[in-house]
Each structure stands twice: as structure tokens, then as C-alpha cells.
Amino acid sequence: MITSLNICYHRREDLLSVVNQVVAYPPDQVLIQVFSGVLDLAVIRQLLTELRELLPGRAVIGTSTAGEIMSGEAVEGTILVNFSLFEQSRVRSALVTQNEDLAAAGYELAAALNQKHTKALIILGCGLKDKRTINGEPLLKALDASVNGAIIAGGQAGDNGKGERTFVFTEAGITEHGVAAASVAGEFLTANNTYNLSWVPIGKKLTITEAKGPRVYSIDGQSPYAIYAYYLGQEVADNLPLSAADFPLIIERDGMEMAIHATGVNEDGSFNYIHDFYPGEQLRFGFCHAGLLALGAQLVHSDLRKFNSQAVFVYSCVSRKWILGADIAVELSSLSELAPSAGFFSYGEYYQHANGRPYFFSQTMTVLSLTEGGKNSVDISIEDGYCPKVEESKQFRTMRVLHRLIDLSTREIESMNIDLAKLANRDFLTGLANRRHFDEILTRELKRHQRSQAPLSLIMIDVDHFKRFNDTYGHVSGDDCLRAVALVFRNVLQRPVDTVARYGGEEFCCVLPGTDYPGGMLVAEKICRAVEGLEIPHAESDVADRVTVSLGMVTLAAGKHATLEELLKACDRFLYQAKEQGRNMVVGGIFP
């Protein structure tokens, strides 16, 4: 059984009120979490001194905040101290004082925190570097790779929205450039992670057409600034990036929808985001209202009831507090009915499903719940018992109906666009020619070759280990990958006479009229290197750690004749050789 205690710290006497209860537990069975809306480091140093004196040997992790969460309520400017007392589980803490290399920080923390039966890692990272939000993904990936079976939770430090300086600390000290963390381990300990987004996509799908890491240069072929101004209006565009928090981009990765907002606007019209983007990824604008918030809160409540939670820790994005205002109470109030709750409003949330990879979220509420001993799971659904009910205004109900209307209308328009694309000889997913239209073009070019005697080259391209990519990252990411490859073709093939088509699944074909063998090989090599240069991760590929392609190229020289089937078969043989010789390469020849 876990005992969880919350106090607001003002002076030493506040700690004395719980000391007797805490010292009844062995030092390594106590975790102290501090969430401080007070940004005065002298105050934090005094608190740490008192904790070391009164409760020596106990693990402490703490963070500056953009608001505190105590017993289901949002508060500000306080120092919230939570004491988690475990009957059987063990606790360790660790502090890393650098975040220049987050992967290295993750490996260092993992070495310090790893215990037998580790079930949860609570990570508190500094939230800002050069006054911009830090992307915590490298830290999370390193931790996940090093500590098997543990759920990762937590968030990044805030500074009450000032965007200037954040800090984290343990009993060992304070840092403005590092990570504080704790592991909780026990044979009879169970950890559960859940989250509430409540932002939903709205409007048409948009495609990333040029991006490098977290910097996006174009969406649907236009600058992000132009896209925001067109769809959201000039008032929103003039107040970027702050106004972007109200309308984040919603993107699906690994079957999960994520909300991502801009963190910086550059003079060339490109935007910086917390997360990396890749060409070909599709996204939509998102919005949130209290009606959707209530539905999400009910699902979280039901999940925690099933888990039979004994201690609940909440890490919620400060954007939710700013945008939702008083309505934030909708999702917080019900948590304290299940178990004592504590947490803070952060500059990004760390989240991991059981047996899943970790994610760095924004604009999301994440909830870690812990249970020790006894039956850890009960069969409960929303219909089985109490779930929090929220009095909704007519406006909220109207907005929910309006969202349904817009969402269904958008789906119907997308379906009609697919039908129109087929009629227009286009592949709807990539915008390239479809197979039937390509066969028509190649047949016409073969006839022109016979008349003009100009060389004709054909390239066949196959995405390496694409089935593994789909199995690993999901079909949405698979579609994004194919769109990214299609964008490479558009960039490499500049001549109007060149044609590229999606020939089937992950296979593409290019016909290059008037192109000889050296020219065809040059184009094929450019495509091969450009796809690799996209740096789309592919962890299950035997070729590289990123998406690659294999290419076969055949040239029909002057004076030579071939049918469509013969030329395609010859090109396919060269493609097969490229795969057999190791993939991520071009193999070509002259017909026959």
C-alpha cells in the first residue's frame, strides 16, 4: 500500500507536521517530489537543507513550475511537497547537470537509477535552452533503451510562463541545465500511464513539403506563415508564435494523435517547432473546448478506476491552463476522488505506454498512477459506475455538434477527391500518375522513340523493407513516407517531359525521354541519395537506420526496339539485382 501526503511549504514547521509519519518508513522507501511556483533559488536551497536535516537519506526530486496541481486543484506561486511512502518498493534519485547531450544524460541517469524490478521512472528535465523549449525525445529514447520494462513519466520544468529560466533539483543539488529523476522499483509495484489530449483535428489535411529537423520551410508548397494566415486569419498570423498554442498542429504518429505548436517564427517564413518533422507527413489544425475536455476526463477517470490507483501524479502542459482557464478543473477535480494527486504544469510532458516507446508531448495532460500490492486491476467501464459529470453550457454542446458536422463533411470531401483523382489518372496518396496512366505514357514514349531514335531511359524504385516500416510505425507513417519519396521525385525530375508514377504499393517508375545511359544513372543516383537524405527513421531496416530505396535503371538506346512489357521486365531485373547486392543502390544497364 502506498501512502501519499501533500503539504504546502512556507517554513520548517510545515515539514515538521509530517516528519513523524515519514520517518516510520525506511529512507529508501520514500520519494519526495517538490513542485515549486516560487522561482527563488535561495528558498529552494533552504528547503533542501531542511529536508536533509529532518529526513536524511530520502530521495528528493523537484522542479520549477508554471503552476502546481494539488489534490485535484490548480494553484500558482506555491511550493507543493508530495511524500510517497512505500511499504515494499524502493526509490533512487539521480541528478545530471548538463543537457547539451540529452542522449548521454539519459544513459547516465539509466546507469544510476536501474534497479531490480524497476517499474517507473519519474523524469523532471529543465524546460528551456536559449529561451526555447527543449525537445526531450533524445533523453527519453536513451532511457527507454537502457531500462527495460519501466514506464517513463514526468515533464519539463516551467517558470510561470516567463520563458527565461527553469531549474530542477534533487537532494544532491540544483541545476538550470540538466535533469532530475527517480526510479521506483518493487516486485509488487505496478505503474500505469494515461493521458488526455482533448485537441481534435479540424479542416483539410495539409502536407509537410519541406522540413529539416524541427524547422519547417513549407506546408503544401507554401511558407508556414502563409498557411497560418490563410486558414486562421491575419490576426492569428500577426501574433505568432504565441497564438499558435490555441490552434496546434495535430499529427498522428504510431497510431497516437499529438498536438504540436510553433515555438519560433523566422524571417524567411519558416517556423520552428518542438518536434522534428519529415516531408510527406500530413497534419491538420486542432482545437479544444470544454465539452471535449469532459469526455476525455471521463475516460481518464475510468482508466484510473480500473487500475485501482493509490497515488496519482499529474504532468500537464501549461498551454492547457492558459487556453482552458477555469475549465481546467474539469479534468483535474475527479483525480483526487480516486487517490491523492500532485503534479505541475510543464513545458512539455514525458509519456510512455506500458510496453511502448516513450513520447515527448505538448498540450497534453499525462497521469502516472502507482499501486503497491493487492489486486492491481479491476474490470470497470464508464457505464459501470460513477464517472465525473460536467454541467455543459448550450455553447459547448453546440460546438460539439459543429465539430461533428465539419468532421463528417471533411471526410466526405476527401472521399470525393479520391474518386476524382482516379478519374484524373492520379494516385490520390502521392499526387503522382497512377499505373494505368503511366503505362499509357510509356507506350506513347516508346512509339516516339521508334520515330526519333532518341534514347529512352526507365527507372524502377522500391522502398527498402517497407512492410517492416509499416509494421513498426503504422500505416499513417507509411503513407507519410510514400508522400515524402514522391516529393523527392518532384525535386529531382525538373524536366516537363519526365514522368513518375506510383506503380504499386511502395514501387515507383520514372520514364525519362531523350535520356541516355549516363544521364539515367545520374538521375537514379540523385533520387537514391535524396531519399536517404530525408533521414526518415527506419529502425527495422537491415540497410540503414533511415528509409532508403533500391533502383533499377535501363536505357533503350537509339536503333533498339522493345515492347512495354520487355522494357519493364528488363528494368525489374536490374532492380532485383540492386536488392540482392545490398539495397540502397542503383543497378543499371542498356537494353537488352
Side-chain angles (χ1 to χ4, degrees):
M1 184 71 180
I2 304 168
T3 299
S4 184
L5 310 172
N6 289 327
I7 67 166
C8 278
Y9 170 83
H10 301 281
R11 58 189 66 86
R12 185 184 182 93
E13 286 71 22
D14 299 320
L15 298 177
L16 291 173
S17 67
V18 296
V19 163
N20 288 339
Q21 203 167 349
V22 175
V23 296
Y25 290 77
D28 67 347
Q29 292 176 210
V30 175
L31 172 62
I32 303 172
Q33 293 186 76
V34 181
F35 308 108
S36 179
V38 175
L39 304 180
D40 188 341
L41 289 178
V43 175
I44 301 302
R45 291 190 184 97
Q46 180 62 32
L47 169 60
L48 288 175
T49 297
E50 293 171 358
L51 286 171
R52 285 190 290 261
E53 292 175 354
L54 296 172
L55 299 168
R58 273 74 179 180
V60 179
I61 59 171
T63 179
S64 58
T65 76
E68 302 77 62
I69 300 168
M70 180 176 180
S71 303
E73 294 184 4
V75 294
E76 291 184 355
T78 67
I79 299 179
L80 166 62
V81 185
N82 172 266
F83 301 86
S84 298
L85 313 177
F86 299 92
E87 290 186 353
Q88 299 166 305
S89 304
R90 302 172 309 282
V91 179
R92 284 185 186 174
S93 64
L95 181 69
V96 172
T97 57
Q98 67 85 18
N99 55 13
E100 291 299 321
D101 187 339
L102 283 174
Y107 290 122
E108 183 178 343
L109 286 173
L113 295 175
N114 208 356
Q115 310 180 66
K116 186 178 181 181
H117 302 304
T118 298
K119 301 296 178 59
L121 298 177
I122 301 176
I123 313 299
L124 305 176
C126 286
L128 298 173
K129 181 187 293 184
D130 300 326
K131 297 186 177 181
R132 289 199 173 183
T133 305
I134 293 171
N135 178 1
E137 282 196 347
L139 171 73
L140 303 182
K141 289 179 180 178
L143 284 165
D144 181 53
S146 306
V147 183
N148 295 325
I151 284 180
I152 298 172
Q156 294 191 163
D159 65 348
N160 295 328
K162 296 180 180 179
E164 296 175 354
R165 185 188 72 172
T166 62
F167 58 85
V168 296
F169 51 92
T170 69
E171 72 279 9
I174 307 172
T175 180
E176 297 179 31
H177 310 284
V179 185
S183 63
V184 188
E187 185 176 359
F188 303 104
L189 177 72
T190 309
N192 181 60
N193 227 2
T194 189
Y195 74 103
N196 186 19
L197 179 59
S198 295
W199 260 260
V200 294
I202 190 170
K204 65 167 288 189
K205 290 181 178 178
L206 307 168
T207 302
I208 299 290
T209 45
E210 185 179 359
K212 191 68 174 177
R215 188 165 180 172
V216 175
Y217 293 91
S218 69
I219 301 174
D220 277 1
Q222 301 182 65
S223 72
Y225 181 88
I227 291 290
Y228 278 74
Y230 179 77
Y231 286 104
L232 302 180
Q234 196 61 45
E235 182 179 355
V236 171
D238 289 342
N239 289 287
L240 291 166
L242 291 177
S243 58
D246 292 346
F247 301 97
L249 299 178
I250 306 296
I251 189 166
E252 182 178 323
R253 286 177 174 165
D254 301 333
M256 301 176 65
E257 287 187 339
M258 302 172 62
I260 305 172
H261 65 267
T263 60
V265 179
N266 305 302
E267 291 183 1
D268 61 359
S270 64
F271 281 14
N272 289 99
Y273 293 86
I274 295 176
H275 289 268
D276 291 350
F277 282 102
Y278 303 98
E281 288 190 305
Q282 287 197 316
L283 40 81
R284 295 161 74 183
F285 285 110
F287 84 108
C288 179
H289 63 77
L292 295 174
L293 192 72
L295 295 176
Q298 289 181 0
L299 293 172
V300 170
H301 187 279
S302 176
D303 189 28
L304 295 178
R305 287 190 71 210
K306 291 178 184 178
F307 184 67
N308 195 23
S309 304
Q310 296 170 357
V312 171
F313 304 111
V314 187
Y315 312 100
S316 184
C317 184
V318 66
S319 296
R320 299 177 76 82
K321 186 179 73 167
W322 289 340
I323 295 168
L324 297 169
D327 290 326
I328 196 70
V330 170
E331 64 181 3
L332 296 180
S333 59
S334 64
L335 298 177
S336 60
E337 299 171 5
L338 300 169
S341 61
F344 75 110
F345 291 100
S346 63
Y347 288 174
E349 302 74 57
Y350 304 147
Y351 176 79
Q352 182 178 25
H353 264 310
N355 301 319
R357 75 177 186 87
Y359 297 87
F360 178 59
F361 280 165
S362 62
Q363 303 199 231
T364 307
M365 180 189 76
T366 65
V367 182
L368 171 68
S369 53
L370 299 177
T371 298
E372 191 179 51
K375 186 178 181 182
N376 293 330
S377 179
V378 291
D379 295 326
I380 297 174
S381 66
I382 289 180
E383 293 77 15
D384 288 333
Y386 170 78
C387 276
K389 300 297 181 182
V390 178
E391 290 295 327
E392 295 181 309
S393 68
K394 181 180 179 181
Q395 179 185 7
F396 289 154
R397 292 193 295 272
T398 301
M399 288 177 69
R400 195 158 60 237
V401 173
L402 179 61
H403 171 251
R404 174 181 171 83
L405 171 64
I406 294 173
D407 187 56
L408 289 177
S409 299
T410 301
R411 292 174 188 270
E412 290 174 354
I413 291 170
E414 288 178 353
S415 178
M416 288 187 290
N417 285 337
I418 292 173
D419 293 336
L420 289 171
K422 292 177 180 177
L423 293 174
N425 298 319
R426 290 284 158 187
D427 172 59
F428 179 74
L429 178 67
T430 63
L432 303 176
N434 60 24
R435 178 169 182 165
R436 180 175 62 85
H437 188 44
F438 184 81
D439 286 347
E440 293 173 354
I441 292 172
L442 182 56
T443 299
R444 185 172 66 241
E445 292 301 333
L446 284 169
K447 292 179 179 178
R448 182 178 287 116
H449 162 79
Q450 292 175 12
R451 295 193 304 270
S452 68
Q453 295 299 304
L456 176 67
S457 291
L458 180 69
I459 304 172
M460 297 187 76
I461 307 108
D462 195 72
V463 181
D464 294 327
H465 300 304
F466 187 70
K467 182 180 184 303
R468 296 183 191 176
F469 185 93
N470 266 340
D471 292 343
T472 303
Y473 300 102
H475 289 281
V476 171
S477 294
D479 290 347
D480 292 341
C481 174
L482 296 178
R483 274 188 292 269
V485 173
L487 289 170
V488 166
F489 297 141
R490 292 194 179 97
N491 292 331
V492 173
L493 302 178
Q494 298 292 328
R495 301 187 311 169
V497 295
D498 297 334
T499 301
V500 61
R502 185 183 179 198
Y503 211 63
E506 67 272 23
E507 192 171 65
F508 300 86
C509 280
C510 302
V511 59
L512 310 176
T515 303
D516 58 14
Y517 176 76
M521 289 295 289
L522 179 63
V523 170
E525 286 287 354
K526 285 183 177 179
I527 292 172
C528 188
R529 300 286 76 82
V531 171
E532 188 176 19
L534 292 172
E535 297 183 354
I536 300 173
H538 190 350
E540 297 303 315
S541 173
D542 293 339
V543 184
D545 60 357
R546 63 193 67 183
V547 168
T548 59
V549 291
S550 298
L551 303 94
M553 201 288 297
V554 65
T555 297
L556 187 63
K560 299 290 184 178
H561 299 282
T563 65
L564 179 143
E565 291 78 11
E566 289 172 339
L567 194 63
L568 285 170
K569 188 174 181 179
C571 196
D572 189 54
R573 282 197 301 269
F574 290 122
L575 174 61
Y576 178 80
Q577 290 176 29
K579 293 179 181 180
E580 285 292 298
Q581 293 175 25
R583 302 179 187 258
N584 191 25
M585 67 174 65
V586 182
V587 174
I590 298 175
F591 184 86

